């Protein structure tokens, strides 16, 4: 089942489509792209066929239009961790059990009215058809279609990729990593269908204000949030259902902390934000206590996707995209009742000699959780961070090994589990 990650054939670099680096940019190198249309070894062919099969058969939103199709995320992560064709097929079959077929939308979407249906999940199929029609008109240049509909206009879609718990953002990242036009069009459909109120905080500059108590450390702000008694008793229990009331009733407090991150050195501070993402997931978990938090892992996996996309975007979008991630991070952290983080539980963790090869084998073959999309994606996010920033005192590796060893299912759902009758 397991083949060496270093044996991937014909890796390419993601192209830099846009502007040269600037002082407002996060300067990281593009990751390798594995173009499934050009790679011919069996694993790559299997991945290509499964991505296309998922595209044809399964909607991007399902379960009363509340859940997101993760199949490309797990297939892509497993492929990069070295999973063989048999395991990739197992992943697809397991994911397909929960997914639903496409259903016709109430009507079609056209170029003159495509924004009129933003945020209506019933139009997910219509949006997919519309973007694929645009793909044909643009000579199957999917990057051009993404650029046109993601980055253009006064309220570009890129300013709302954190809708739906960041799944449109994650989906788009996998489209670029595997140069998949099918996944790219799904990402646009998901972004349009999931569009919500969070876009206004990026679209409207009046929400960005000079901070009263600024810092360049995301972890320091999270520490302040954790200790702020304003949030005590705000919610009876954890759960993503807390996010909308948080913005409706406590917007001013949210924006106070959102604006407190004063980004001066975008590259250095983005690295710090990725460390914060790992800390939120791993350093907040207490062995023998509650399971790892399902919603907090999305902070890590969305941070990973921001890292994937930043080298491809014009510099003017870099800091706004990072701040968009930061808005989601604060919302999720507060909604999950601000768990305390013990950084020493990561920095001082005894790995007992386990290295990235061990992590890779856990994700690809050995762990009983190899079919869990969020488990595998979380491990991959930490490995990519280590490849991007260097060992950093083994922080990334310690976090990954601890997570892999302790993980035994997800928690943090709160009332959502009861509401769905699970």
């Amino acid at each position: 089942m397991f083949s060496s990650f270093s044996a991937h054939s014909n890796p390419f670099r993601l192209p830099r489509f846009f502007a040269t680096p600037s002082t407002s940019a996060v300067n990281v190198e593009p990751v390798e792209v594995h173009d499934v249309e050009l790679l011919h070894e069996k694993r790559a062919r299997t991945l290509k066929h499964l991505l296309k099969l998922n595209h044809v058969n399964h909607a991007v939103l399902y379960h009363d239009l509340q859940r997101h199709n993760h199949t490309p995320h797990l297939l892509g992560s497993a492929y990069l961790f070295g999973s063989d064709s048999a395991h990739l097929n197992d992943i697809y079959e397991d994911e397909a059990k929960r997914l639903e077929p496409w259903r016709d939308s109430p009507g079609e979407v056209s170029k003159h009215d495509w924004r009129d249906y933003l945020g209506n999940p019933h139009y997910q199929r219509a949006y997919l058809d519309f973007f694929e029609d645009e793909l044909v008109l643009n000579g199957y240049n999917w990057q051009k279609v993404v650029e046109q509909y993601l980055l253009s206009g006064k309220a570009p879609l890129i300013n709302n990729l954190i809708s739906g718990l960041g799944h449109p953002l994650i989906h788009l990242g996998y489209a670029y990593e595997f140069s998949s036009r099918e996944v790219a069009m799904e990402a646009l459909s998901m972004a349009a269908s999931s569009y919500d109120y969070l876009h206004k905080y990026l679209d409207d500059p009046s929400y960005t204000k000079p901070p009263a108590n600024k810092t360049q450390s995301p972890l320091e702000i999270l520490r302040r949030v954790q200790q702020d008694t304003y949030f005590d008793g705000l919610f009876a229990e954890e759960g993503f259902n807390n996010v909308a009331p948080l913005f409706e009733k406590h917007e001013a407090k949210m924006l106070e902390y959102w604006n407190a991150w004063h980004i001066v050195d975008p590259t250095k501070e983005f690295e710090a934000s990725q460390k914060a993402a790992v800390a939120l997931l791993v350093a907040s978990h207490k062995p023998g206590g509650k399971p790892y938090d399902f919603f907090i892992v999305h902070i890590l996996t969305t941070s990973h996707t921001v890292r994937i996309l930043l080298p491809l975007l014009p510099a003017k979008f870099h800091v706004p995209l990072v701040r968009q991630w930061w808005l989601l991070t604060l919302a999720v952290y507060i909604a999950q009742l601000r768990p305390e983080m013990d950084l020493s539980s990561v920095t001082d963790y005894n790995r007992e000699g386990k290295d990235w090869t061990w992590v890779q084998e856990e994700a690809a073959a050995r762990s009983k959780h190899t079919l869990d999309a969020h488990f595998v994606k979380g491990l991959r996010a930490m490995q990519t961070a280590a490849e991007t920033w260097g060992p950093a005192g083994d922080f990334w590796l310690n976090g990954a090994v601890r997570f892999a060893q302790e993980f035994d299912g997800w928690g943090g759902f709160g009332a959502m589990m009861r509401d769905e009758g699970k």
Side-chain angles (χ1 to χ4, degrees):
M1 176 175 291
F2 178 76
S3 60
S4 173
F5 182 64
S6 63
H8 288 163
S9 59
N10 298 323
F12 300 91
R13 285 287 182 184
L14 282 168
R16 289 183 180 269
F17 295 111
F18 304 111
T20 56
S22 75
T23 56
S24 64
V26 177
N27 293 316
V28 292
E29 286 297 313
V31 299
E32 291 178 349
V33 61
H34 300 263
D35 191 330
V36 293
E37 297 293 337
L38 299 179
L39 298 173
H40 301 298
E41 47 103 9
K42 185 176 180 179
R43 293 191 321 115
R45 296 198 313 271
T46 301
L47 176 61
K48 175 179 69 174
H49 297 320
L50 293 176
L51 291 176
K52 292 179 184 295
L53 194 61
N54 178 67
H55 181 74
V56 171
N57 289 336
H58 301 131
V60 293
L61 302 176
Y62 70 103
H63 192 79
D64 296 325
L65 304 176
Q66 296 298 309
R67 295 183 182 173
H68 301 81
N69 187 331
H70 297 87
T71 305
H73 316 169
L74 180 51
L75 285 172
S77 293
Y79 174 84
L80 291 177
F81 270 138
S83 293
D84 63 16
S85 293
H87 185 55
L88 294 176
N89 278 301
D90 288 343
I91 288 171
Y92 180 84
E93 293 300 325
D94 186 70
E95 288 288 303
K97 295 174 185 176
R98 294 176 286 276
L99 299 174
E100 297 173 4
W102 292 100
R103 291 183 173 86
D104 290 340
S105 298
E108 293 190 350
V109 171
S110 64
K111 197 156 189 172
H112 73 274
D113 67 0
W114 72 276
R115 295 193 67 93
D116 294 349
Y117 305 99
L118 290 177
N120 188 335
H122 295 283
Y123 278 81
Q124 61 168 322
R125 178 73 218 195
Y127 272 117
L128 183 72
D129 291 340
F130 168 67
F131 290 124
E132 291 194 327
D133 288 345
E134 291 296 294
L135 183 65
V136 174
L137 294 175
N138 284 277
Y140 291 91
N141 185 338
W142 64 265
Q143 293 97 335
K144 185 176 180 180
V145 177
V146 169
E147 180 184 351
Q148 179 180 351
Y149 287 97
L150 193 71
L151 305 182
S152 63
K154 294 182 179 179
L157 279 183
I158 193 173
N159 284 347
N160 197 221
L161 291 180
I162 58 169
S163 65
L165 197 54
H167 287 103
L169 176 69
I170 296 169
H171 220 79
L172 185 65
Y174 282 93
Y176 273 100
E177 283 198 89
F178 293 95
S179 193
S180 170
R181 66 191 185 201
E182 288 82 10
V183 178
M185 297 304 102
E186 291 167 8
L188 289 177
S189 174
M190 193 182 289
S193 304
S194 304
Y195 198 76
D196 65 15
Y197 61 94
L198 293 174
H199 74 90
K200 68 181 182 181
Y201 298 107
L202 279 299
D203 289 338
D204 186 347
S206 69
Y207 289 104
T208 298
K209 300 176 181 178
N213 193 12
K214 64 185 178 182
T215 176
Q216 294 172 245
S217 170
L219 271 174
E220 168 59 21
I221 298 171
L222 291 171
R223 184 192 64 79
R224 295 175 189 173
V225 171
Q226 200 279 324
Q227 296 178 356
D228 192 337
T229 57
Y230 175 92
F231 298 108
D232 290 352
L234 213 59
F235 303 110
E237 59 185 339
E238 61 201 356
F240 196 66
N241 289 341
N242 295 335
V243 170
L246 184 62
F247 282 97
E248 291 169 5
K249 301 177 181 179
H250 310 280
E251 180 184 76
K253 197 69 172 177
M254 277 290 300
L255 296 183
E256 174 189 331
Y257 283 110
W258 184 51
N259 286 309
W261 186 11
H262 180 57
I263 299 177
V264 176
D265 184 336
T267 303
K268 181 179 179 180
E269 292 170 55
F270 177 60
E271 178 184 0
S273 75
Q274 294 219 283
K275 289 183 179 178
V278 173
L280 273 172
L281 178 65
V282 184
S284 67
H285 181 257
K286 294 178 174 55
K290 295 180 180 180
Y292 272 92
D293 193 293
F294 176 79
F295 298 104
I296 288 179
V297 75
H298 287 79
I299 300 307
L300 176 59
T301 54
T302 50
S303 174
H304 165 76
T305 307
V306 171
R307 182 266 173 269
I308 299 300
L309 294 178
L310 283 172
L312 309 176
L313 294 169
K316 68 177 182 178
F317 290 106
H318 286 200
V319 170
L321 183 59
V322 173
R323 295 189 75 236
Q324 187 180 165
W325 170 85
W326 179 233
L327 186 66
L328 178 66
T329 298
L330 288 170
V332 169
Y333 184 57
I334 297 168
Q336 297 307 102
L337 306 186
R338 301 139 52 224
E340 187 174 2
M341 290 174 280
D342 177 10
L343 286 178
S344 67
S345 70
V346 178
T347 57
D348 300 338
Y349 186 72
N350 182 6
R351 300 192 314 274
E352 299 178 336
K354 296 178 176 65
D355 58 11
W356 283 116
T357 299
W358 180 90
V359 172
Q360 183 182 337
E361 291 172 348
E362 283 292 293
R366 191 165 47 215
S367 171
K368 65 180 180 179
H369 302 292
T370 57
L371 299 179
D372 187 304
H374 299 90
F375 171 72
V376 177
K377 287 192 294 181
L379 291 174
R380 182 167 173 251
M382 287 184 263
Q383 184 179 44
T384 302
E387 293 167 351
T388 301
W389 308 111
D394 290 332
F395 180 82
W396 316 106
L397 180 56
N398 288 357
V401 171
R402 185 183 166 201
F403 176 53
Q405 287 191 301
E406 294 178 352
F407 180 78
D408 194 26
W410 296 107
F413 297 97
M416 292 185 71
M417 296 294 283
R418 296 193 301 277
D419 291 346
E420 295 184 5
K422 292 184 177 178

